[in-house]
């Protein structure tokens, strides 16, 4: 098991019985800080009236309000990388192809793995019974794609690519019966009832890794990921940045990183270089979260916002002192999760 961060160790408080003279008083400990746990959280989803976040060492925590969280699993399952909700069911995936399912997010069942490849993301479609798409679509290394439905029925399908796939957004959120998938080297794939349709590189316009995707439900889709060019040499006047589509992912445009006459990037407010790990859409628009380690050494989190997905603004660096890995919207809240719990 990975060691918890130092602040977690220091935050453990000793609980002693009423009789301080009892033998072995040091054999009873409870986690106190950070509450409810301190392992890295990799993803969060909203559904069924609650947020569910998953992370390292099999961590699963839940919250109905986004403020108060309850531990549901700890050190029982492998590392978890993605979580989704669809039609009354929750599903989480992670390293070694692990798949967990739950009807309430409180108790979880680990299913037999259908792949040995690690799974990085998962999306759910609550309209799956009527639109002909799978209830869940999980994605991972070497182009791995897995369909899941009815809780226990999971199978590997061919995605048509060997590039690692990282994230997807469900058809019901796009406004059409499809999933939209993003991955390594600018991979963008649409899954329709007819199968997987990969967008040629020329129609996407980037070879950067894409780790996150979200949709406003009206054809407006945004994606982001590894947006870190060489910090010591600007080879182009424009550098690809966040992608957006106004046609449900059929065609894409780059929001370009504009470099001024002195060679300085001036589009983003603070971070010259950043990576977006998660993205969602809510009542106030798109939000992307991630990290930077170049200029903001003590505030490595990045939070980008956009009302339409086409023009993005970076929030102040004090948003978080730790990298952020995932974000979800629900109950009129945006909830982001990251390192150290």
């Amino acid at each position: 098991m990975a060691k918890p961060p130092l602040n977690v160790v220091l935050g453990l408080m000793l609980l002693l019985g009423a009789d301080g003279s009892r033998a072995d008083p040091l054999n009873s400990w409870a986690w106190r800080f950070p509450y409810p746990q301190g392992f890295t959280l990799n993803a969060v989803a909203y559904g069924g009236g609650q947020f569910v976040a998953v992370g390292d060492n099999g961590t699963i925590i839940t919250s109905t309000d986004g403020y108060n969280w309850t531990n549901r699993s700890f050190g029982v399952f492998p590392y978890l990388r993605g979580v989704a909700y669809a039609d009354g069911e929750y599903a989480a995936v992670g390293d070694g192809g692990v798949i967990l399912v739950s009807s309430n997010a409180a108790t979880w069942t680990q299913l037999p793995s259908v792949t040995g490849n690690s799974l990085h993301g998962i999306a759910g479609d609550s309209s799956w019974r009527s639109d002909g798409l799978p209830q869940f679509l999980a994605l991972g290394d070497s182009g791995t794609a897995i369909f899941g439905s009815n809780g226990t029925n999971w199978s590997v399908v061919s995605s048509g690519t060997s590039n690692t796939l990282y994230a997807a957004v469900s058809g019901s959120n796009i406004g059409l019966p499809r999933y939209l998938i993003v991955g390594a080297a600018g991979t963008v794939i649409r899954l329709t009832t007819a199968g997987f349709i990969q967008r040629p590189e020329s129609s996407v316009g980037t070879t950067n890794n894409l780790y996150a995707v979200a949709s406003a439900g009206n054809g407006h889709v945004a994606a982001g990921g590894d947006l870190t060019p060489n910090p010591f040499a600007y080879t182009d006047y424009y550098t690809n940045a966040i992608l957006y589509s106004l046609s449900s992912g059929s065609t894409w445009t780059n929001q370009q990183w504009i470099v001024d006459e002195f060679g300085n990037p001036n589009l983003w407010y603070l971070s010259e270089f950043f990576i977006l790990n998660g993205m969602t859409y809510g009542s106030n628009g798109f939000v992307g979260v991630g990290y930077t380690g170049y200029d903001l050494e003590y505030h490595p989190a990045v939070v980008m916002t956009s009302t339409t997905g086409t023009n993005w603004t970076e929030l102040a660096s004090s948003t978080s002192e730790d990298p952020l890995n995932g974000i979800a919207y629900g109950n009129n809240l945006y909830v982001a999760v990251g390192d150290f719990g």
Side-chain angles (χ1 to χ4, degrees):
M1 175 182 292
K3 293 182 180 180
L6 180 60
N7 64 336
V8 174
V9 177
L10 296 177
L12 291 173
M13 297 181 61
L14 176 64
L15 297 182
L16 299 175
D19 182 359
S21 64
R22 295 180 61 183
D24 299 324
L26 299 180
N27 64 1
S28 179
W29 294 77
W31 196 302
R32 291 303 187 207
F33 180 82
Y35 185 80
Q37 64 86 47
F39 288 112
T40 291
L41 296 171
N42 296 311
V44 60
Y46 182 84
Q50 62 183 327
F51 292 94
V52 181
V54 301
D56 291 358
N57 294 287
T59 298
I60 302 174
I61 61 176
T62 65
S63 173
T64 57
D65 60 9
Y67 297 94
N68 302 288
W69 295 81
T70 301
N71 247 331
R72 298 301 185 182
S73 177
F74 182 81
V76 178
F77 304 116
Y79 282 43
L80 301 173
R81 306 298 181 188
V83 62
Y85 171 86
D87 190 27
E89 296 286 339
Y90 302 88
V93 297
D95 288 6
V98 64
I99 300 172
L100 311 179
V101 295
S102 175
S103 61
N104 56 17
T107 57
W108 293 78
T109 300
Q110 184 171 351
L111 302 180
S113 296
V114 296
T115 179
N117 291 337
S118 290
L119 299 171
H120 300 290
I122 185 171
D125 178 11
S126 289
S127 301
W128 68 283
R129 296 181 187 275
S130 59
D131 64 24
L133 292 173
Q135 182 180 8
F136 293 103
L137 171 63
L139 309 158
D141 289 346
S142 302
T144 300
I146 298 175
F147 288 174
S149 60
N150 290 320
T152 58
N153 299 323
W154 294 78
S155 60
V156 176
V157 295
S158 176
S159 66
T161 182
S162 60
N163 291 341
T164 295
L165 303 175
Y166 291 108
V169 62
S170 69
S172 58
N173 290 329
I174 296 174
L176 294 171
R178 66 180 58 163
Y179 282 92
L180 188 65
I181 305 156
V182 297
T187 299
V188 174
I189 300 174
R190 289 185 295 162
L191 171 63
T192 70
T193 54
F196 291 90
I197 304 172
Q198 186 166 356
R199 306 307 304 169
E201 178 186 322
S202 59
S203 69
V204 177
T206 184
T207 57
N208 292 341
N209 293 339
L210 299 173
Y211 302 125
V213 63
S215 173
N218 58 358
H220 289 208
V221 185
D226 185 355
L227 309 175
T228 56
N230 186 341
F232 305 107
Y234 298 106
T235 57
D236 298 314
Y237 188 78
Y238 295 102
T239 303
N240 294 340
I242 299 172
L243 307 178
Y244 65 89
S245 171
L246 305 181
S247 57
S248 300
S250 297
T251 58
W252 292 83
T253 302
N254 295 310
Q255 178 173 341
Q256 293 176 319
W257 179 342
I258 302 173
V259 179
D260 65 23
E261 64 269 28
F262 302 106
N264 300 311
N266 60 18
L267 176 59
W268 311 122
Y269 173 56
L270 292 170
S271 300
E272 291 187 7
F273 312 103
F274 59 90
I275 294 175
L276 293 183
N277 293 320
M279 190 178 289
T280 193
Y281 180 83
S283 59
N284 289 320
F286 290 89
V287 179
V289 298
Y291 69 97
T292 177
Y294 290 91
D295 294 336
L296 307 179
E297 181 179 357
Y298 301 106
H299 299 282
V302 168
V303 179
M304 298 283 183
T305 66
S306 173
T307 56
T308 63
T310 59
N311 294 289
W312 293 75
T313 301
E314 182 180 359
L315 299 188
S317 60
S318 59
T319 301
S320 173
E321 294 187 359
D322 296 309
L324 297 172
N325 301 320
I327 185 169
Y329 177 83
N331 195 28
N332 296 315
L333 289 174
Y334 295 87
V335 173
V337 299
D339 288 6
F340 309 119

